[in-house]
Amino acid sequence: MTRRTHLVSLAGLLAVALTFGSSVAQAQAPSIVMASTTSTEQSGLFSHLLPAFKQATGIDIKVVALGTGQALDTGRRGDADVLFVHDQVAEEKFVSEGFGVKRLPVMYNDFVLVGPANDPAKTRGKDIVSALQKVANTQAGFVSRGDKSGTHAAELRFWKQAGLDNKGAGYKECGCGMGPALNIASSTGAYALTDRGTWLNFKNRQDLQVLVEGDNRLFNQYGVMVVNPAKHAHVKADVAQKFVDWVVSPAGQASINGYKIGGEQLFFANANK
């Protein structure tokens, strides 16, 4: 074997060793599955938050973005290690049934009612209940997510507060995430309830504007929970707890507060308030 051939062989072996070592390192890197809402995903928050968490801990997180109801069902089946959702009543029920270890508040933003700029139902203002009554009375178009998400649960709560079983001929359920629901509303000139984070990151607004905001009832709290390993032994509870500990820590809370679009903050950390 010539010296050149020997060097080439060594280089090849080194490349194989490095590739193998990299594959082993990747295989050994801790990772968890998080079931979360479409609002946290579509607002762009996780693209900002999760790299900061990985840099701090080395842990990868695979996000399954669903409506809150579906995310909770995913946790009940043991198909996720941690949940990041926004329907406090449903979250507390999840914990009381033994499926979650403990629910912790993480952050909040608010819901807003968006609709066409000419506002045919005359909803503009601060009162979400009055606005929905006007939508129903004028038979205006309204796109509901209809997917048992946290946003859908809030919307149904507001309709109930408005005392309306009949939501008007224009009411349609899409059974879809927040982004697709907003796309339907923008293309048809309909009203829709959305979380502000997704709205700020939504590009296809066309004629839609925020028409109702500032009502205290529009407050939107998010919580985080580790799925209970007593229900599903395969759940990576120890690794999932590291995410929970980080996201409620000063570093995680600062990362949440630091996420902005066009200088506007999308979520407000409140784990320790």
Side-chain angles (χ1 to χ4, degrees):
M1 179 183 293
T2 67
R3 186 171 184 274
R4 178 179 175 81
T5 303
H6 179 68
L7 289 174
V8 170
S9 298
L10 285 176
L13 288 172
L14 179 59
V16 170
L18 288 172
T19 300
F20 178 76
S22 175
S23 300
V24 170
Q26 289 178 3
Q28 293 176 342
S31 64
I32 54 174
V33 173
M34 176 163 63
S36 189
T37 72
T38 59
S39 60
T40 45
E41 178 77 0
Q42 292 173 358
S43 66
L45 175 67
F46 284 156
S47 295
H48 167 83
L49 191 67
L50 299 188
F53 171 67
K54 183 175 181 179
Q55 184 176 11
T57 65
I59 297 170
D60 278 310
I61 295 184
K62 177 185 177 182
V63 176
V64 180
L66 304 160
T68 286
Q70 294 172 304
L72 291 169
D73 286 342
T74 299
R76 287 188 179 93
R77 295 192 302 268
D79 292 333
D81 304 297
V82 65
L83 306 180
F84 197 135
V85 288
H86 66 138
D87 184 349
Q88 186 167 344
V89 173
E91 293 163 39
E92 290 172 348
K93 184 174 185 287
F94 182 86
V95 172
S96 69
E97 292 172 343
F99 290 103
V101 176
K102 183 180 180 181
R103 175 193 176 277
L104 293 174
V106 178
M107 64 186 190
Y108 69 91
N109 65 358
D110 63 341
F111 295 111
V112 294
L113 183 72
V114 299
N118 66 345
D119 191 17
K122 308 303 180 188
T123 63
R124 194 182 303 272
K126 291 183 63 174
D127 191 330
I128 185 61
V129 169
S130 174
L132 292 182
Q133 290 170 339
K134 292 173 181 177
V135 167
N137 290 339
T138 58
Q139 311 295 318
F142 185 99
V143 180
S144 169
R145 286 180 57 171
D147 63 349
K148 298 182 179 179
S149 62
T151 303
H152 183 218
E155 178 218 313
L156 294 179
R157 185 167 65 249
F158 301 146
W159 284 112
K160 184 176 181 180
Q161 291 169 355
L164 293 169
D165 292 324
N166 184 351
K167 304 176 182 66
Y171 183 86
K172 306 294 182 186
E173 292 186 343
C174 69
C176 61
M178 195 68 256
L182 286 171
N183 276 320
I184 295 170
S186 66
S187 64
T188 61
Y191 294 87
L193 185 77
T194 177
D195 67 285
R196 192 183 293 271
T198 302
W199 172 252
L200 289 173
N201 202 37
F202 182 65
K203 303 298 190 294
N204 184 34
R205 297 181 183 182
Q206 297 191 41
D207 193 41
L208 293 187
Q209 293 182 358
V210 173
L211 298 173
V212 180
E213 60 184 330
D215 190 327
N216 290 336
R217 289 170 289 200
L218 294 171
F219 179 80
N220 181 29
Q221 178 69 50
Y222 289 79
V224 66
M225 300 170 287
V226 174
V227 176
N228 193 347
K231 290 281 189 181
H232 302 285
H234 64 273
V235 166
K236 301 176 184 177
D238 291 344
V239 182
Q241 187 63 49
K242 290 181 180 179
F243 172 73
V244 171
D245 292 343
W246 180 84
V247 81
V248 301
S249 74
Q253 296 280 279
S255 185
I256 290 170
N257 285 335
Y259 180 53
K260 299 178 181 180
I261 293 179
E264 187 166 354
Q265 187 171 331
L266 274 70
F267 299 94
F268 299 83
N270 67 342
N272 302 307
K273 297 180 182 178

